[in-house]
Amino acid sequence: MMIKAENINKSFGKLHVLKNINLEVQKGEVISIIGPSGSGKSTLLRCLNYLEKIDSGRIEIEGEPIAAMDQQGQKIHIPENQIRRICRKLGMVFQSFNLFPHKTVLENIIEAPIVVKKMPKEEAVALAEELLGKVGLADKRDAYPSQISGGQKQRVAIARALAMKPDIMLFDEPTSALDPELVGEVLSVIKALAKENMTMLIVTHEMAFAREVSDRVVFMDSGEIIEEATPEKIFKNPEHPRIRAFLDKML
């Protein structure tokens, strides 16, 4: 079990964004999370890697809790350094690329391994060059973010996340900020990771991609998981009429 979330609730003020969410992710699984905007998909990912703190529930990453409650419903204190250590097992790629504009592509990738993992610079550079080859950008190592396309920036962001050698990758709508013709180059990198059995949770509006790459598809609406099943079941024969209505608009 790579991720186990139990009865997660999260509110922003009076807005109840996540309502008793339960989700399990097994090693090597690729799970796509789909649903209308505002359904809580991105918030769920942000809670799983502690960018947002849940109000109640329990989250375990590879069997270790980053959020938990006692029998009285009170939050159990988990030391911050323990949470940071556990969360390093998760890599995250955002909608916007969040690259350092004043650093080259290579410098963007080696920053975290050197600063956070104390990796020797030579080793970090070798790893970055290997990852740039993997995402098809070996020739862009010395370019600055302003000199490359949106699709290339997102591929650099994926390489940067992989440089921390995570066990799990989280993708939050990785193609939503891209021009349509650039979407495919990013999705092909994610497909290659799926073939390598990387455990992945992907929030996406790319239905054909979700259908092709996922072991399971989770449909969220209004802060709840309405259904989770194989891509075949979700896309061909969903149980919930809300899913049918959504897919009719998307496909």
Side-chain angles (χ1 to χ4, degrees):
M1 185 80 65
M2 302 298 276
I3 297 175
K4 185 172 187 179
E6 294 179 325
N7 299 320
I8 293 180
N9 283 277
K10 173 67 181 174
S11 295
F12 295 107
K14 291 182 179 177
L15 187 63
H16 196 173
V17 181
L18 298 176
K19 304 169 186 173
N20 295 314
I21 294 287
N22 291 282
L23 182 67
E24 294 183 353
V25 183
Q26 307 290 341
K27 186 175 177 62
E29 250 192 322
V30 178
I31 297 178
S32 290
I33 306 174
I34 65 171
S37 296
S39 56
K41 307 183 299 295
S42 295
T43 301
L44 174 57
L45 283 200
R46 292 176 67 82
C47 288
L48 292 177
N49 72 351
Y50 211 70
L51 289 175
E52 298 286 355
K53 296 181 183 180
I54 60 173
D55 300 326
S56 63
R58 182 180 182 88
I59 298 173
E60 290 180 7
I61 308 298
E62 293 185 20
E64 295 187 278
I66 61 167
M69 317 283 289
D70 63 20
Q71 290 178 329
Q72 283 72 46
Q74 300 297 311
K75 283 188 180 180
I76 295 171
H77 174 71
I78 300 168
E80 283 290 329
N81 60 349
Q82 183 176 325
I83 291 169
R84 279 198 301 274
R85 176 184 60 77
I86 296 167
C87 285
R88 278 183 207 153
K89 297 176 180 183
L90 300 156
M92 183 137 178
V93 176
F94 299 87
Q95 296 176 35
S96 52
F97 325 112
N98 297 344
L99 299 178
F100 296 116
H102 61 290
K103 291 181 182 287
T104 65
V105 163
L106 185 86
E107 288 167 342
N108 266 280
I109 296 170
I110 66 174
E111 175 87 2
I114 291 172
V115 173
V116 179
K117 284 198 156 183
K118 311 298 182 208
M119 189 182 285
K121 186 174 181 181
E122 283 181 16
E123 187 182 333
V125 169
L127 174 62
E129 288 176 337
E130 177 193 331
L131 290 169
L132 283 171
K134 188 173 190 167
V135 300
L137 292 172
D139 59 333
K140 300 294 184 185
R141 74 189 290 279
D142 297 320
Y144 286 89
S146 61
Q147 298 170 317
I148 60 177
S149 72
Q152 290 169 333
K153 287 176 189 170
Q154 194 60 294
R155 284 187 278 158
V156 173
I158 293 171
R160 180 179 59 182
L162 291 172
M164 291 296 285
K165 300 185 176 179
D167 296 337
I168 303 158
M169 284 289 283
L170 308 177
F171 292 90
D172 185 10
E173 297 187 25
T175 60
S176 67
L178 301 179
D179 293 331
E181 67 267 24
L182 302 176
V183 167
E185 63 189 61
V186 173
L187 296 184
S188 66
V189 171
I190 300 173
K191 286 177 192 173
L193 290 174
K195 286 179 181 168
E196 293 173 12
N197 294 318
M198 170 63 82
T199 307
M200 294 190 282
L201 261 178
I202 308 164
V203 170
T204 184
H205 287 298
E206 302 289 338
M207 295 300 118
F209 168 73
R211 190 172 191 164
E212 179 186 347
V213 80
S214 309
D215 297 299
R216 266 190 296 149
V217 176
V218 171
F219 185 90
M220 288 185 69
D221 188 30
S222 301
E224 298 179 287
I225 292 177
I226 302 294
E227 188 175 344
E228 57 176 296
T230 63
E232 175 119 352
K233 174 93 170 57
I234 290 283
F235 287 103
K236 283 190 176 176
N237 189 28
E239 290 179 7
H240 203 284
R242 179 70 187 91
I243 303 175
R244 284 198 190 91
F246 175 79
L247 291 175
D248 284 345
K249 289 179 184 172
M250 296 293 289
L251 298 174

